[in-house]
Amino acid sequence: MTDWGEDEPELDAAFAPDPDDETSAEPEPRKTYYANLDEFVRLYLREAYARPINGRTRVWAAEWWKYPEAVIRLDALWRAWEHLRLEPRTGMSVWFRDHADHHMQVLMDPDGPFSAADPTSATNLATRGQRLPYDPPPTKLY
């Protein structure tokens, strides 16, 4: 049997990463292009998905952040976009086909997450070529 005595290094220390060894450092978390969901919606999605919103065949809520299902779907769209933007060949095509087209159709459906939004409010309407309606969320929400 080995007596580890006080002169011997601790077993845990023998397996601890060397702080000077750059290969043992934990990888830095991947940075996102957009700082948060609001920035993604405000700066990208509203531009990329300009559609006429008439309150009958398509709905949208300028205060999108008040609708939990919408927030979850929009967050999923943002995270998928952040991942697929790094795929230089087909990333954006895959994002539109597999993520955006699906979720935006659900979001804009008259019976979808924004169905409780006032469809006649001018703040929730957009004409052809206009950005999706948008009101900023409360300051500390994002």
Side-chain angles (χ1 to χ4, degrees):
M1 289 187 92
T2 304
D3 181 13
W4 288 101
E6 290 183 32
D7 295 336
E8 297 294 325
E10 296 244 354
L11 186 59
D12 289 341
F15 293 101
D18 179 355
D20 296 327
D21 180 9
E22 291 182 25
T23 61
S24 68
E26 298 230 356
E28 286 188 38
R30 190 162 84 196
K31 295 186 181 0
T32 58
Y33 185 84
Y34 293 104
N36 56 46
L37 176 58
D38 175 56
E39 193 173 284
F40 173 74
V41 170
R42 179 171 37 91
L43 299 176
Y44 182 78
L45 193 65
R46 294 177 60 226
E47 302 286 340
Y49 251 92
R51 298 283 193 279
I53 306 294
N54 60 20
R56 292 181 313 281
T57 58
R58 281 193 196 107
V59 297
W60 186 264
E63 294 179 331
W64 55 269
W65 37 268
K66 287 186 173 181
Y67 300 85
E69 181 186 349
V71 170
I72 293 166
R73 287 179 179 277
L74 291 167
D75 189 69
L77 281 176
W78 172 44
R79 292 171 190 277
W81 185 90
E82 291 287 357
H83 175 75
L84 289 167
R85 74 182 173 87
L86 301 172
E87 167 40 59
R89 291 181 180 87
T90 60
M92 286 299 93
S93 180
V94 169
W95 181 77
F96 272 103
R97 183 194 68 207
D98 293 351
H99 302 279
D101 289 344
H102 169 74
H103 287 293
M104 293 302 284
Q105 183 175 355
V106 171
L107 287 164
M108 294 182 182
D109 188 285
D111 293 324
F114 295 132
S115 62
D118 181 356
T120 62
S121 170
T123 61
N124 291 334
L125 301 175
T127 59
R128 184 176 304 272
Q130 281 186 315
R131 291 181 220 148
L132 293 174
Y134 173 84
D135 282 336
T139 307
K140 296 189 181 196
L141 189 58
Y142 290 100

